[in-house]
Amino acid sequence: MYFLVVVISLLLSSVPAQSRTIQDLIDKIPGKTGNLTEKDDISVSTIIETNKHAGLGLDEPLIMFGDIAVPSGLQNADPCTARGCKWDRSRDGLVYVPYIISNQYSPQDISVIKRGMQSFAEVSCIRFVPHQGQRNFIHIKSNSGCYSYLGRQRGGQVVSLQRNGCVYHQIVQHELLHALGFHHEQNRSDRDKHIRILYQNIIPEQQHNFRKVDTNNLGTPYDYNSVMHYSRYAFSMNNEPTMIPIPNANAVIGEARQMNSNDILRINRLYCIEDKSAELSVSELLHRANRGNVPEADEPKLMDDIAVNEKNADPCTSYGCLWSKYSDGKIYVPYVIANHYSSRELEIIQRGLDSFSSSTCIRFFPRGNERDYISIESRSGCYSYVGRQGYAQTVSLARNGCLYHSTVQHELLHALGFNHEQTRSDRDNHIQVVWENISDDMKYNFNKINTLNQGTPYDYSSVMQYERYAFSKNGLPTMIPIPNNNVALGTSTQMSQNDIIRINRLYQCFPEADEPKLMDDIAVNEKNADPCTSYGCLWSKYSDGKIYVPYVIANHYSSRELEIIQRGLDSFASVSCIRFFRRTNERDYISIESRSGCYSYVGRQGYAQTVSLARNGCLYHSTVQHELLHALGFNHEQTRSDRDNHIQVVWENISDDMKYNFNKINTLNQGTPYDYSSVMQYERYAFSKNGYPTMIPIPNSNAALGTSTQMSQNDIIRINRLYQCCE
């Protein structure tokens, strides 16, 4: 009966999880930790389901385009920019948007809403502030559904965030973006070049939601990953797609979980044109900082942001420029920082320096009397030499334009020996350089280099990749991705997973000596990783029918990180007989620690067994659940015994040293079907060496694969069947 209730409750749930994939989270690059509430693990397209009855109240506005409130007489929902609806900028350069939050919300709801508002302050000049009598303000209420007016309306204007269905981080961001004046991505003026609308699949009375709008796109590309883009099945009447990306019909669409770099760039271009955080991709930051600079007499020659001793800038690896490894396996790089930076600027630099230690063996440390070191100074722009030069070598981070996390990482990667992505030896297989659009005196920046690519694929998301308009003389692209020219290019704001892999391979950063062998994120005692069920690794059932799993958590986590871990542990109790509890003196237990990445053994091992949740990259609800499922005895979905009936593994696209991760295992599938939405399923590009899929669903190759952000219904059924939680 208990199990039946679990299944029924799941079937009644109407919120699909379509957002950050589990593979993305395990491969997460340094940056912010995960969202705190389970409510954040959904797609903004959930708005459509929540809004079935929106706007039907007597005092509620007409709702169009899914969640845009339309003032009386403006049913055509003309773009905000046509009627002047921007919020005013103050003399200090900031845009203050007053708000009132209704007393209908719980403290937890208010926390989610305020976090959504605060996220704008972190990346733009927008500041949501409590209303103190201002004439114009937003009034956040729990009305029928999720909706907002488009831009400032004058007076108080409702932003509806219904408590049951709308209080999620990405939906808060989505509706606030409407309030700032931004439309849906699929309605923008150039959308027909990027998506095909299948009107025959759209609910007839909802077809108006796909009307094009004469939007101001602020010079940014169409973005499938915008938090303003709906999913491919939005408003479908037959469960067939209503939108298909072109030319690549398999491109992921409408699965954003938070604002991305293009969303942020648009805010800054519309509102913050004079704000120093307006250009957020590393390549735009560098070009902005270095444009027109005249180096001082004692500064080196530059090739864009690379200081060179020779014009041809031969790759560092050809003349031996690595920093030395110490006996403990670490690479210690001494540095000094000039005393002309402010405390805030020093924090940014220090954060960039420290970000390497959490995911690599690189350790930047203040110089004592070491001969070779980097000297971080505010010179003419942002630049660095490539690799160790000997004695003092400058890393220039000009106070005016270079003090951003991504720029600090970028220049330090140069100092470690890495060149730009677009100059690597195999780049012509991945980007087309449009020479006729490049400024004549900048063409040398696109010369190919005989780079050592460390066996990693070309990475459009590398922090070392410039954006598609870099050094353009006419506003047209200088680089176009191939074969899919719509791929986001050079929009990174921090190191990617491939950047990190390259550091570790170049400097031979191996796991700590006391850490286990890994098969991706599975710790193994034997290379063949036989399934747990073949050697009896279940946790014991107690007399009350519950499975009690003792745990300890290392003391190096912050209070916020502990909350994320605890929520993951507690999530099993609500859907199964599993109870994670704090260890007292039990012999067998899991030890949750921040080690080298995210990993776990499969099933109970006996005595202490590590579940590694690295502070920098693993602290997301889905990742916690994923690793705990390993500890309970579950393998990855793509390795299960019947997988060949459901996915085609494309071996030729897999990195050669990662193919073992796709070996089938004689799994016990608990009578459940293969589940593309399992939190144990990786996404279709996992371990790709060339940017092409490594797994293709069959027979429907367009099925979403590995996009889960929490346990699926089948994951829960398997737990209950394996541990016999039915009585």
Side-chain angles (χ1 to χ4, degrees):
M1 185 64 184
Y2 169 82
F3 181 61
L4 181 61
V5 171
V6 169
V7 173
I8 291 173
S9 68
L10 286 163
L11 291 173
L12 291 174
S13 173
S14 64
V15 181
Q18 312 179 51
S19 185
R20 190 189 301 273
T21 70
I22 186 66
Q23 176 69 18
D24 291 337
L25 295 180
I26 288 177
D27 289 348
K28 182 70 174 69
I29 52 186
K32 296 179 182 176
T33 54
N35 297 330
L36 182 57
T37 65
E38 184 175 348
K39 293 180 177 181
D40 292 337
D41 296 335
I42 66 163
S43 160
V44 291
S45 295
T46 303
I47 291 170
I48 295 168
E49 181 69 21
T50 305
N51 279 3
K52 283 182 176 178
H53 305 293
L56 299 182
L58 292 177
D59 60 344
E60 292 188 288
L62 174 69
I63 305 299
M64 295 186 66
F65 299 98
D67 68 324
I68 295 178
V70 183
S72 176
L74 286 175
Q75 292 188 13
N76 61 350
D78 289 330
C80 165
T81 50
R83 49 180 155 72
C85 63
K86 287 172 62 178
W87 296 83
D88 295 329
R89 191 205 303 239
S90 297
R91 295 180 68 179
D92 62 3
L94 300 177
V95 177
Y96 294 98
V97 181
Y99 69 85
I100 295 173
I101 300 179
S102 166
N103 60 9
Q104 303 160 289
Y105 296 104
S106 70
Q108 178 70 6
D109 294 333
I110 291 173
S111 174
V112 174
I113 293 169
K114 286 188 174 180
R115 186 164 64 87
M117 292 191 290
Q118 177 59 29
S119 68
F120 287 79
E122 295 168 355
V123 295
S124 75
C125 61
I126 304 296
R127 300 293 186 271
F128 290 96
V129 295
H131 180 248
Q132 294 181 330
Q134 297 94 333
R135 176 187 170 191
N136 301 323
F137 62 96
I138 62 172
H139 193 169
I140 300 174
K141 299 180 177 181
S142 178
N143 282 355
S144 302
C146 333
Y147 62 79
S148 170
Y149 290 91
L150 201 62
R152 178 174 55 79
Q153 298 297 305
R154 299 192 180 279
Q157 64 188 76
V158 172
V159 172
S160 176
L161 296 172
Q162 180 180 313
R163 290 194 65 190
N164 186 13
C166 304
V167 185
Y168 304 88
H169 182 62
Q170 57 273 52
I171 293 180
V172 174
Q173 286 186 331
H174 181 102
E175 299 305 337
L176 292 177
L177 279 166
H178 282 322
L180 290 173
F182 294 94
H183 221 292
H184 292 135
E185 195 76 356
Q186 68 270 9
N187 297 111
R188 60 182 264 171
S189 53
D190 61 347
R191 67 102 185 272
D192 292 336
K193 298 176 182 177
H194 307 284
I195 58 170
R196 179 160 58 97
I197 306 297
L198 303 179
Y199 284 97
Q200 67 271 23
N201 295 334
I202 302 172
I203 299 169
E205 60 268 26
Q206 300 297 335
Q207 290 188 2
H208 62 85
N209 291 309
F210 293 85
R211 190 164 59 211
K212 278 197 298 185
V213 176
D214 187 23
T215 50
N216 178 6
N217 301 322
L218 298 161
T220 60
Y222 193 94
D223 189 355
Y224 299 135
N225 296 314
S226 168
V227 79
M228 304 305 284
H229 205 304
Y230 276 1
S231 79
R232 67 175 66 224
Y233 298 95
F235 301 106
S236 178
M237 67 178 178
N238 53 13
N239 292 322
E240 295 294 325
T242 56
M243 293 177 276
I244 295 179
I246 51 178
N248 178 9
N250 293 324
V252 176
I253 179 173
E255 295 186 2
R257 171 172 173 170
Q258 60 186 344
M259 293 189 295
N260 71 2
S261 57
N262 276 318
D263 293 321
I264 294 167
L265 185 57
R266 291 165 192 163
I267 299 168
N268 282 288
R269 287 186 173 170
L270 184 63
Y271 281 100
C272 313
I273 192 65
E274 296 173 0
D275 186 78
K276 286 186 169 61
S277 63
E279 307 296 338
L280 292 174
S281 84
V282 66
S283 72
E284 290 181 300
L285 287 171
L286 289 170
H287 298 158
R288 184 170 172 230
N290 286 354
R291 187 180 298 121
N293 281 340
V294 178
E296 300 291 334
D298 63 342
E299 291 190 279
K301 292 180 181 180
L302 297 183
M303 293 185 67
D304 187 26
D305 72 315
I306 297 179
V308 293
N309 292 320
E310 300 170 344
K311 183 63 178 177
N312 63 354
D314 287 332
C316 163
T317 50
S318 70
Y319 52 83
C321 63
L322 297 186
W323 295 84
S324 300
K325 180 176 285 192
Y326 284 62
S327 58
D328 63 355
K330 303 293 191 297
I331 312 297
Y332 292 97
V333 182
Y335 69 86
V336 296
I337 303 178
N339 59 11
H340 42 226
Y341 294 106
S342 70
S343 58
R344 171 68 179 152
E345 292 165 343
L346 288 171
E347 286 179 14
I348 295 169
I349 295 170
Q350 194 63 54
R351 179 179 163 232
L353 292 162
D354 293 345
S355 66
F356 287 78
S357 65
S358 61
S359 52
T360 75
C361 60
I362 306 296
R363 301 293 185 270
F364 292 99
F365 72 100
R367 178 192 182 225
N369 59 357
E370 293 79 9
R371 189 196 78 165
D372 300 342
Y373 63 98
I374 61 173
S375 178
I376 300 173
E377 309 169 22
S378 177
R379 305 299 298 271
S380 302
C382 330
Y383 63 80
S384 170
Y385 290 91
V386 174
R388 179 175 53 81
Q389 300 295 303
Y391 300 94
Q393 63 185 77
T394 300
V395 171
S396 176
L397 296 172
R399 297 186 66 188
N400 188 11
C402 303
L403 292 174
Y404 300 90
H405 183 59
S406 55
T407 309
V408 176
Q409 286 187 330
H410 182 102
E411 299 306 336
L412 291 175
L413 279 167
H414 282 322
L416 290 172
F418 294 93
N419 270 283
H420 293 133
E421 195 75 355
Q422 68 272 7
T423 63
R424 60 182 266 170
S425 54
D426 61 346
R427 68 100 185 274
D428 292 334
N429 298 325
H430 306 284
I431 59 169
Q432 173 194 352
V433 177
V434 190
W435 295 98
E436 61 269 27
N437 294 338
I438 303 171
S439 298
D440 292 339
D441 58 345
M442 292 294 170
K443 288 183 176 179
Y444 64 84
N445 289 305
F446 294 84
N447 292 339
K448 279 195 296 185
I449 295 174
N450 187 27
T451 50
L452 183 62
N453 301 322
Q454 304 296 326
T456 59
Y458 193 96
D459 186 4
Y460 300 132
S461 299
S462 169
V463 80
M464 306 305 283
Q465 170 71 56
Y466 276 4
E467 50 93 26
R468 67 178 67 220
Y469 298 94
F471 303 108
S472 177
K473 66 181 179 183
N474 53 15
L476 297 177
T478 56
M479 291 175 280
I480 298 175
I482 51 178
N484 179 8
N485 60 17
N486 291 322
V487 170
L489 184 68
T491 59
S492 177
T493 56
Q494 58 188 341
M495 292 190 294
S496 71
Q497 182 65 18
N498 278 316
D499 292 325
I500 293 168
I501 290 172
R502 290 166 193 164
I503 298 169
N504 285 300
R505 289 185 179 174
L506 181 63
Y507 282 95
Q508 299 181 2
C509 301
F510 301 112
E512 300 290 339
D514 62 343
E515 292 192 276
K517 292 180 180 179
L518 297 183
M519 291 185 67
D520 186 30
D521 72 315
I522 297 179
V524 292
N525 291 321
E526 300 171 346
K527 184 63 178 177
N528 61 358
D530 288 331
C532 164
T533 50
S534 71
Y535 52 83
C537 64
L538 297 187
W539 295 83
S540 300
K541 180 176 286 191
Y542 283 63
S543 57
D544 62 357
K546 302 293 191 298
I547 311 296
Y548 292 98
V549 181
Y551 69 86
V552 297
I553 303 178
N555 60 11
H556 41 226
Y557 295 106
S558 69
S559 58
R560 176 171 171 75
E561 293 165 343
L562 288 171
E563 289 180 26
I564 294 169
I565 295 170
Q566 194 64 53
R567 184 165 66 93
L569 292 163
D570 293 345
S571 66
F572 287 79
S574 61
V575 295
S576 75
C577 60
I578 305 296
R579 300 293 186 271
F580 291 98
F581 73 101
R582 291 191 179 274
R583 177 193 184 230
T584 53
N585 58 357
E586 293 78 11
R587 190 197 78 165
D588 300 343
Y589 63 96
I590 61 172
S591 178
I592 301 173
E593 309 168 21
S594 177
R595 306 300 298 271
S596 302
C598 329
Y599 64 79
S600 170
Y601 290 91
V602 174
R604 179 174 54 81
Q605 300 295 304
Y607 299 93
Q609 63 185 78
T610 300
V611 171
S612 176
L613 296 172
R615 296 186 64 188
N616 207 345
C618 303
L619 291 174
Y620 301 90
H621 183 59
S622 52
T623 308
V624 176
Q625 286 187 330
H626 181 102
E627 300 306 336
L628 291 176
L629 280 167
H630 281 321
L632 290 172
F634 294 93
N635 270 282
H636 293 134
E637 195 75 356
Q638 68 271 9
T639 63
R640 59 182 266 171
S641 53
D642 62 347
R643 68 100 185 274
D644 292 335
N645 298 325
H646 306 282
I647 60 169
Q648 174 194 353
V649 177
V650 189
W651 295 97
E652 61 268 26
N653 295 337
I654 303 170
S655 298
D656 292 339
D657 58 344
M658 292 294 169
K659 288 183 176 179
Y660 64 83
N661 288 305
F662 293 85
N663 292 339
K664 279 195 298 184
I665 296 174
N666 186 27
T667 51
L668 183 61
N669 301 322
Q670 304 296 325
T672 59
Y674 194 96
D675 186 3
Y676 298 138
S677 299
S678 169
V679 79
M680 306 305 283
Q681 170 71 55
Y682 275 4
E683 51 92 26
R684 67 178 66 223
Y685 297 94
F687 304 107
S688 177
K689 66 181 179 183
N690 54 16
Y692 289 97
T694 56
M695 293 175 279
I696 298 175
I698 50 178
N700 179 9
S701 62
N702 292 324
L705 184 68
T707 58
S708 178
T709 55
Q710 59 186 342
M711 291 189 293
S712 70
Q713 178 184 342
N714 279 316
D715 291 325
I716 293 168
I717 290 173
R718 291 166 193 163
I719 299 170
N720 283 286
R721 288 185 178 173
L722 181 63
Y723 281 94
Q724 299 180 4
C725 303
C726 304
E727 4 347 341

